[in-house]
Amino acid sequence: PTEGGFSAAKIDKMTEQLKQMGEVFKQASDAASTAIQALTQSIQHTTEGMDPLIAAADRMVAIQQGQQPPNCPCKAGWYLSTSLKMCFECPKNFFSLEGATECTPCPFGHATDNSGSSVCKDVNECVDASLNRCHANATCSNTVGSFGCACKTGFQGNGLDCMDIDECADPSLNNCHANATCSNTIGSFGCACPFGFRGNGTFCERVCPPQMHLTAKDGVASDEFGRSVTVSSFGDDAVAVVGAFLHDERGNESGSAYVFRVAADGSAT
């Protein structure tokens, strides 16, 4: 008997041949898969064998450059470059903590001693005039992150500008005696007793001339102390000038004299 023109025997043979061909293809496929797997494993083994060498080389280079190995956290004062997988030193006036991925700028009024720092320190602006704006007659006071200015005694202003105070213009600002002369100076003042008074300026007392008796009423004479006296009469009274002026080689006069009223009896006051 036949089916479709083929005998049963013919069909069985062809079926057997197809089974054999399928087996061949399967074996070939399995072999190819095995070969690909073997190649993949070989590549993986090669890479695994190279990774430790590459990593070791990276560590050596990093350590020689003073950097942390790429698989360790960066030390304080350094930061990790996520793209390069390397640690780099923070620049001056920037800081970082261990394991940081970026550097942070120091706050205003703070700075680092150098690069690669983990802490910012307060800047004392008062030790360098270029760092503060205090007036020359002001006192600079350092504060955390900033500074302050205050005018010195004898000056007034906001510390950035200071003007001299004229203490003599206001009696409440000086302690000169009522009979003293006040002299303003830059940042202060002075007191001096006038002629006929004695004291330190803050206290003045009148000086009374000593009594004396003249040996002559008019003209040049001497008193009982041997001082040169010039006496001039003015009506019933006379004026005595005690002392003498000195003359230098240029004709300039110097010295001092005291004027007294001379009574009729010859006494001078």
Side-chain angles (χ1 to χ4, degrees):
T2 60
E3 289 186 25
F6 294 98
S7 64
K10 183 73 171 179
I11 293 174
D12 292 339
K13 185 176 181 180
M14 291 175 62
T15 301
E16 184 63 29
Q17 290 177 345
L18 289 173
K19 289 181 178 179
Q20 292 177 357
M21 291 177 62
E23 186 66 27
V24 171
F25 282 123
K26 182 179 181 301
Q27 293 176 359
S29 177
D30 291 342
S33 177
T34 302
I36 293 173
Q37 185 176 5
L39 178 60
T40 302
Q41 292 176 350
S42 176
I43 293 174
Q44 289 177 346
H45 292 163
T46 302
T47 305
E48 290 173 357
M50 291 299 295
D51 278 349
L53 297 177
I54 295 173
D58 287 344
R59 290 191 184 91
M60 291 180 64
V61 172
I63 293 172
Q64 288 175 354
Q65 295 177 350
Q67 303 168 353
Q68 289 295 100
N71 63 336
C72 299
C74 296
K75 63 181 180 181
W78 296 66
Y79 72 98
L80 175 66
S81 171
T82 55
S83 59
L84 299 178
K85 304 300 182 184
M86 295 289 289
C87 295
F88 294 93
E89 189 178 43
C90 290
K92 184 175 174 61
N93 297 333
F94 284 75
F95 75 99
S96 71
L97 302 179
E98 183 178 351
T101 57
E102 62 180 8
C103 299
T104 304
C106 290
F108 182 81
H110 293 73
T112 61
D113 294 330
N114 41 48
S115 59
S117 295
S118 60
V119 63
C120 295
K121 300 179 180 179
D122 174 57
V123 175
N124 187 353
E125 294 87 356
C126 295
V127 300
D128 186 347
S130 66
L131 299 178
N132 67 75
R133 296 179 294 135
C134 294
H135 191 269
N137 291 316
T139 300
C140 179
S141 301
N142 184 59
T143 60
V144 177
S146 188
F147 61 94
C149 305
C151 293
K152 298 178 181 178
T153 302
F155 297 86
Q156 59 185 354
N158 58 7
L160 304 180
D161 291 302
C162 297
M163 298 179 59
D164 175 57
I165 298 175
D166 186 356
E167 294 85 357
C168 296
D170 185 351
S172 66
L173 299 179
N174 68 75
N175 59 346
C176 293
H177 190 269
N179 292 320
T181 300
C182 179
S183 301
N184 184 58
T185 60
I186 301 299
S188 188
F189 63 94
C191 306
C193 296
F195 178 78
F197 292 81
R198 64 185 176 187
N200 59 7
T202 59
F203 173 77
C204 297
E205 63 177 354
R206 185 180 294 277
V207 178
C208 295
Q211 292 290 327
M212 67 180 183
H213 192 78
L214 303 179
T215 57
K217 189 171 182 179
D218 290 317
V220 178
S222 61
D223 64 6
E224 57 188 299
F225 302 105
R227 292 175 296 185
S228 174
V229 179
T230 299
V231 180
S232 298
S233 298
F234 296 94
D236 295 334
D237 295 325
V239 175
V241 179
V242 180
F245 290 104
L246 302 176
H247 294 78
D248 59 19
E249 64 275 8
R250 296 183 179 180
N252 297 319
E253 291 184 339
S254 63
S256 62
Y258 296 91
V259 180
F260 300 92
R261 184 176 181 273
V262 182
D265 63 357
S267 62
T269 57

